[in-house]
Amino acid sequence: MRVEITNAEYADLKHVSNNMRELDKREVREIGGLTPADAVFHSALISRDVRAARIDGVAVAVFGESRTNGGDTSVLWLLGTDDLMRGRFAYIREANKYIAQIRGEGCRIENVVHEDNEPSIRLLEALGFEFGEAEDTAHGGRGVRFWMESSDV
């Protein structure tokens, strides 16, 4: 199995939006009120950097980050297919580098994950994120805020 992280291409975005895992579909619908395609393409549009995780050349996830609060906060996102967890250990190694780069720029990293999205929560825990309590969202779900302070703190 060959895992690679590269800049995302349109085909990667399209593949993930068409093959999104059910937990991610539920998350984007119940937290953001979005379809899979809207979530992927909107996230990519507002992001500074969009990458794809591929296994044997096939996209299993797309991810990126946008900045808020005058550039002091990074909103990190990831949307994947059912195959994402096959390459999770290689992904964790690469994600740690990506996160270190963002934190080194003085940014706090945060976002919200659906309380039922256990695979994503386990991945975020492995990466060292902290978690708040689950709260109701505007679209009928329950989201859990996760964050990591900048390395400046």
Side-chain angles (χ1 to χ4, degrees), residues 5-30:
I5 308 291
T6 64
N7 290 330
E9 298 174 2
Y10 176 81
D12 301 318
L13 302 173
K14 189 76 171 161
H15 180 78
V16 170
S17 69
N18 287 339
N19 297 283
M20 190 177 290
R21 58 189 173 159
E22 289 302 318
L23 285 168
D24 283 357
K25 285 181 189 178
R26 182 175 175 200
E27 183 172 286
V28 300
R29 181 180 63 248
E30 292 184 9

Side-chain angles (χ1 to χ4, degrees), residues 39-73:
V40 167
F41 286 98
H42 174 76
S43 297
L45 183 65
I46 64 170
S47 294
R48 309 176 338 134
D49 184 34
V50 183
R51 306 224 180 142
R54 294 188 192 96
I55 295 177
D56 297 330
V58 178
V60 296
V62 290
F63 63 97
E65 61 113 5
S66 60
R67 298 284 170 98
T68 63
N69 297 332
D72 292 338
T73 302

